[in-house]
Amino acid sequence: MKYTLESDFSKHVKREEQHRVYLLYGSQPYLISLYEKLLVKKALDGSFDSFNLHRFETSELDMQAFYDAVESLPFLSGGRCVTLDLEPDKLDSSTFDELCTVLSDPPQTTCVVVAVKHPPSKKERLAKLVKACDKAGGVIELGARRNSDTLRFLRDRAQKNGCELSSEVGSYLIERCTDDMMTLATELDKVCAYVGSGGISREDVDAVVTAVIQARVYDLSKAISRGSFSRAMELIDQLLYLREPAAKVLTVLAGGFTDLYRGFAARQAGVPAAQAAADLGYAKNRAFVVRNAMSDSGDYSAPQLGQMLDLLARADLRLKSTGANDRVILEQTVTQLFLITGRR
């Protein structure tokens, strides 16, 4: 059975009904780990865990041992649980096929929980795995939550740590860390430890949170739009010090200016941010990107944005096709962006 909504799957986990196999996969390792724990607890009912729980990882997967664990009868209990932290790309074809065969028809007394935190590069493998697990159990893709759900998660976690988190600061935290819940949970815990108790401010987030590259490059694009050349060079220093590849920095920067161009077009057409985000294929919890882009694009003209995108595309080509110094290309590109804006 395929679950399309996390809310439906959550309700199932809380009920007594249980599938023989569960496949948890997607872009949110935090949610995958959370539901894996809940399913293990549900399957074992809190008794004889050490006898009836068997854990396997791809790096040490012995198919005979896995098969024996799945097929064995439970010890002094109504059921047993087998978990597999699976990385499909690391298995050869015959082993992967054998695994799918075992997962397609385990005994009624065993609950197998398969967690895929790194989706395979070949979609065919994921499709085959989904088909095998769907035949005998439940399948759920755990991707990005809606922005409102993520904010609720952050507020609840902050409250448990004795702190208060407003929606505004929570949204800012998401911007600095992306919507990965594992990262958000870790960074929020750091902020709460720093604050101690009471309200959390943007300044607290800036003081403690380790911003992901997208956030740092967003700061770089902000420095460019505001004409702060020294700040832009400082940010380039920070990015390269953190050993971020220049090509990756340029890719993210180009993505930011692409967002600006889309925001500019939406604003010119008079399309609301929420509708523009949906029409342009942004996830619901990424609608703020379009909203910010519509606001920030007021500093540019259409020809300027076009020149910037062309410049970034040519810089990317230079990085990939010449032996020029990466730092030099990055600094030259940012300098030329300043020339296009006329703010220097």
Side-chain angles (χ1 to χ4, degrees), residues 218-228 257 260 296 299-300 308 337-338 341 343:
Y218 177 75
D219 290 341
L220 177 58
S221 64
K222 276 287 190 182
I224 294 170
S225 67
R226 292 171 180 172
S228 180
F257 278 97
L260 277 177
D296 296 342
D299 295 331
Y300 304 100
M308 290 174 171
L337 288 171
F338 273 94
T341 64
R343 300 181 179 92

Side-chain angles (χ1 to χ4, degrees), residues 132-207:
C133 295
D134 183 33
K135 182 179 179 182
V139 176
I140 178 73
E141 180 179 4
L142 296 164
R145 285 179 166 179
R146 293 179 303 176
N147 198 55
S148 59
D149 292 334
T150 303
L151 285 173
R152 188 180 303 111
F153 161 76
L154 292 173
R155 285 196 298 268
D156 291 344
R157 194 177 185 93
Q159 190 173 28
K160 289 178 181 178
N161 284 317
C163 296
E164 297 176 7
L165 183 72
S166 67
S167 295
E168 179 188 354
V169 177
S171 297
Y172 181 62
L173 179 63
I174 294 171
E175 288 183 28
R176 307 307 290 173
C177 300
T178 74
D179 57 9
D180 180 80
M181 295 184 68
M182 189 75 77
T183 302
L184 285 170
T186 300
E187 295 300 323
L188 179 59
D189 288 348
K190 285 165 54 179
V191 176
C192 289
Y194 172 76
V195 174
S197 62
I200 297 173
S201 66
R202 289 170 66 107
E203 289 72 23
D204 295 326
V205 172
D206 289 335

Side-chain angles (χ1 to χ4, degrees), residues 227-303:
S228 180
F229 185 79
S230 59
R231 174 59 176 161
M233 291 300 113
E234 178 186 336
L235 287 164
I236 289 175
D237 277 337
Q238 292 178 8
L239 288 161
L240 297 180
Y241 176 77
L242 294 171
R243 298 189 178 182
E244 295 289 357
K248 186 176 180 181
V249 175
L250 278 176
T251 297
V252 178
L253 191 60
F257 278 97
T258 300
D259 291 332
L260 277 177
Y261 191 86
R262 291 169 175 169
F264 178 88
R267 186 167 53 81
Q268 290 292 100
V271 179
Q275 181 184 335
D279 293 344
L280 293 169
Y282 288 81
K284 288 183 179 179
N285 64 336
R286 297 284 295 167
F288 71 87
V289 174
V290 178
R291 185 172 61 253
N292 291 345
M294 291 178 70
S295 174
D296 296 342
S297 62
D299 295 331
Y300 304 100
S301 65

Side-chain angles (χ1 to χ4, degrees), residues 9-57:
F9 184 68
S10 179
K11 291 176 184 176
H12 163 77
V13 173
K14 294 174 182 177
R15 294 196 297 263
E16 290 186 9
E17 173 195 4
Q18 180 175 284
H19 298 304
R20 289 179 290 161
V21 174
Y22 292 94
L23 173 61
L24 314 175
Y25 73 99
S27 61
Q28 292 289 355
Y30 178 91
L31 292 176
I32 294 173
S33 297
L34 173 65
Y35 281 110
E36 180 184 6
K37 291 177 183 177
L38 293 174
L39 288 169
V40 169
K41 183 177 180 181
K42 176 180 178 178
L44 298 176
D45 198 26
S47 60
F48 297 99
D49 291 5
S50 60
F51 296 105
N52 291 306
L53 175 60
H54 297 267
R55 296 188 181 277
F56 293 86
E57 294 185 4

